[in-house]
Amino acid sequence: MHKSKIEDESEVITDGKPEVWEVEPSRAARNCRNLIREIVDNLNLEPNPEKPVIALSIGDPTVYGNLKAAEETVQAVRDALERAIHNGYANSSGTSEARQAVAEYLSRDGVQFQQEDVILCSGCSSSLEHCIAALADGSKGQNILVPRPSFPLYWTLAEHIGVQTRYYNLIPENNWEVDLGHLESQIDHNTAAILINNPSNPCGSNYTENHLRSLLEIAYRHRLPVIADEIYENLVFPDQKFVSMASLDAYVPILICGGLAKRFLVPGWRLGWIAVHDPVGAFEKIRKALNALNQRTIGSNTLVQGALPAILKNTPQSAFDDLSEFLCSNAIVAFKKLQEARGLTPFMPQGAMYMLVEIHMDRFPMFNSGLEFTRKMMEEESVFCLPGECFTIPGFMRIVLTVPMMEEACLRIIEFCNRYYTK
């Protein structure tokens, strides 16, 4: 019987070894890099088998189980699940009830948000991604300004779409405030926005009202919108006050990024938001762009959206106070203990979940970088901190303040430093 052409070709393909061929990734995929993963995955970490690992590296407050979401927060999700009306798709920007709840939650200190000002996203990282993509255009050679040191995801989200990142310096000795002169020197005709993170990851800083006003004055002078990463809003130590940039009555359009992850201790619930603060009417087209960008993922978790009004209303202040006091207590322990480590200088934070510690590398000549320092500390003491290279600040390391065994971790760090310190 005569074989068809398709049958003949099938035999050719399957009879022998197939030809090797390769599919090239897109430019966007090639540009998508996670600095932390690139650095950490290449460290080949091997902890000391005789000491249990203490990970001071992960910004996930749930890792050790000592910090749990309030019962009221959890019950809100149980109730939403049992109602069985939040299992389908919703408006890509969020249900009206959930958006209204966020608007009311953020309306304080003289600022009033309406539900149309709020867009719900899949975590704060998604909120940041949409804001960068809406404001900056890589095809036009535009850039955004981000702090140094900073959360590396800013770089990832911008460079992925061809938007350049330009760094402005923070000053360690001034509670990591922005070097205002350096910030202004980084602005050029291609700058599309200034990103400000307060309270800060990795610095743990909490800016004063006066300092925030100085930043907004620069933004106003250059007619630049601001992306305010406030995922750690109100997560400050008991002697501190958090000030949202939207509350300062400046004539600067601001996109506020936040969410449930940190303050409510539920990062895996993936509920973030963008709140549009637009006192000058500059964001009419940006609002439409943000909603369009959010349509790519059809919005955030609808079950958590259903619980959101109750979460924001019923979670007691005592839960937030307890978290703040725990983090502050751990920060005090780490700050005092690490001053005993030769060759280290810790910087006391004012909020968030982190502390930066300077490594005086000239006192540790056997290590060529903070990467080598932190890897060796893991091998010998089973304590892992992220090296400053992850945050564009070599010669430092970041420690996370959420662990229950902070003093033990510090004692091991002290022992390691005193072992290798050279005068």
Side-chain angles (χ1 to χ4, degrees):
M1 182 183 297
H2 177 70
K3 293 184 179 181
S4 69
K5 183 179 180 182
I6 294 177
E7 287 176 323
D8 287 341
E9 289 179 349
S10 177
E11 285 186 7
V12 170
I13 292 172
T14 57
D15 278 353
K17 187 176 181 180
E19 179 184 354
V20 176
W21 57 298
E22 186 175 41
V23 178
E24 289 293 327
S26 67
R27 177 182 176 184
R30 292 196 305 271
N31 289 344
C32 192
R33 298 165 52 205
N34 185 309
L35 296 182
I36 290 181
R37 291 268 55 91
E38 284 189 8
I39 292 172
V40 173
D41 290 350
N42 290 319
L43 282 178
N44 298 318
L45 298 172
E46 294 291 340
N48 184 338
E50 297 181 1
K51 296 184 178 183
V53 172
I54 302 177
L56 301 181
S57 56
I58 304 173
D60 181 347
T62 70
V63 168
Y64 283 94
N66 58 311
L67 298 175
K68 298 181 182 297
E71 175 57 28
E72 292 84 352
T73 304
V74 177
Q75 186 60 47
V77 175
R78 292 195 194 102
D79 293 342
L81 180 62
E82 291 178 358
R83 288 196 298 272
I85 59 174
H86 303 290
N87 297 330
Y89 293 123
N91 183 295
S92 60
S93 294
T95 65
S96 59
E97 296 82 4
R99 294 167 70 193
Q100 180 62 31
V102 173
E104 293 175 2
Y105 172 76
L106 295 176
S107 293
R108 54 177 179 262
D109 299 328
V111 180
Q112 291 296 318
F113 287 100
Q114 307 300 321
Q115 70 169 271
E116 55 265 27
D117 298 323
V118 175
I119 300 168
L120 301 184
C121 305
S122 183
C124 190
S125 57
S126 181
S127 304
L128 291 164
E129 178 182 25
H130 295 342
C131 290
I132 294 170
L135 293 175
D137 192 336
S139 67
K140 295 180 179 178
Q142 290 188 313
N143 63 73
I144 61 170
L145 307 189
V146 300
R148 187 204 321 262
S150 70
F151 184 41
L153 187 65
Y154 304 148
W155 185 94
T156 302
L157 296 176
E159 298 287 337
H160 157 65
I161 56 173
V163 174
Q164 299 175 2
T165 50
R166 305 188 73 174
Y167 291 100
Y168 59 86
N169 292 335
L170 308 182
I171 306 172
E173 297 79 12
N174 289 358
N175 291 327
W176 298 101
E177 288 188 344
V178 176
D179 182 332
L180 299 175
H182 188 253
L183 167 65
E184 197 151 17
S185 73
Q186 297 306 298
I187 298 171
D188 66 13
H189 66 282
N190 284 324
T191 301
I194 303 173
L195 193 152
I196 297 169
N197 177 208
N198 182 59
S200 166
N201 173 15
C203 305
S205 54
N206 176 47
Y207 292 157
T208 65
E209 179 178 328
N210 286 339
H211 188 59
L212 291 172
R213 287 190 184 280
S214 297
L215 295 171
L216 287 171
E217 287 173 5
I218 293 173
Y220 178 77
R221 187 158 56 247
H222 293 273
R223 300 299 189 269
L224 288 173
V226 167
I227 301 171
D229 181 358
E230 296 184 357
I231 185 60
Y232 295 96
E233 54 92 18
N234 275 310
L235 191 50
V236 296
F237 297 165
D239 62 338
Q240 295 284 314
K241 178 186 177 182
F242 166 72
V243 178
S244 174
M245 297 197 81
S247 70
L248 297 181
D249 198 26
Y251 296 107
V252 175
I254 305 171
L255 299 178
I256 305 285
C257 296
L260 295 181
K262 306 300 184 175
R263 192 179 187 222
F264 291 82
L265 301 173
V266 288
W269 289 7
R270 311 309 301 144
L271 197 293
W273 55 68
I274 302 168
V276 180
H277 177 67
D278 187 15
V280 294
F283 274 162
E284 181 180 353
K285 294 180 180 178
I286 295 301
R287 290 174 187 266
K288 295 178 181 178
L290 291 170
N291 281 291
L293 288 165
N294 213 34
Q295 289 170 357
R296 293 180 304 166
T297 56
I298 322 181
S300 62
N301 186 310
T302 55
L303 177 62
V304 181
Q305 285 189 50
L308 195 55
I311 290 173
L312 297 179
K313 180 179 179 180
N314 298 338
T315 302
Q317 181 62 39
S318 59
F320 305 133
D321 293 341
D322 290 346
L323 175 59
S324 173
E325 290 171 5
F326 174 82
L327 294 171
C328 182
S329 176
N330 262 4
I332 291 171
V333 168
F335 182 70
K336 289 182 177 178
K337 295 300 294 183
L338 292 180
Q339 291 183 74
E340 301 174 17
R342 293 189 291 179
L344 295 186
T345 298
F347 289 85
M348 182 66 187
Q350 298 89 48
M353 300 177 171
Y354 313 101
M355 172 186 289
L356 278 178
V357 181
E358 186 173 8
I359 308 167
H360 299 284
M361 297 304 300
D362 58 330
R363 299 301 182 184
F364 302 98
M366 64 291 299
F367 303 118
N368 293 319
S369 66
L371 291 169
E372 291 187 9
F373 181 96
T374 53
R375 178 173 58 194
K376 192 65 173 178
M377 188 165 67
M378 180 64 161
E379 291 175 354
E380 296 189 0
E381 298 296 336
S382 295
V383 175
F384 183 46
C385 305
L386 285 183
E389 284 86 346
C390 292
F391 308 98
T392 66
I393 184 168
F396 283 77
M397 62 182 177
R398 187 195 74 173
I399 66 174
V400 174
L401 301 172
T402 57
V403 301
M405 64 290 287
M406 181 57 68
E407 186 165 3
E408 170 63 21
C410 290
L411 291 174
R412 294 192 201 174
I413 294 173
I414 292 168
E415 185 175 344
F416 176 81
C417 290
N418 292 349
R419 183 184 310 137
Y420 286 101
Y421 179 86
T422 300
K423 291 184 178 181

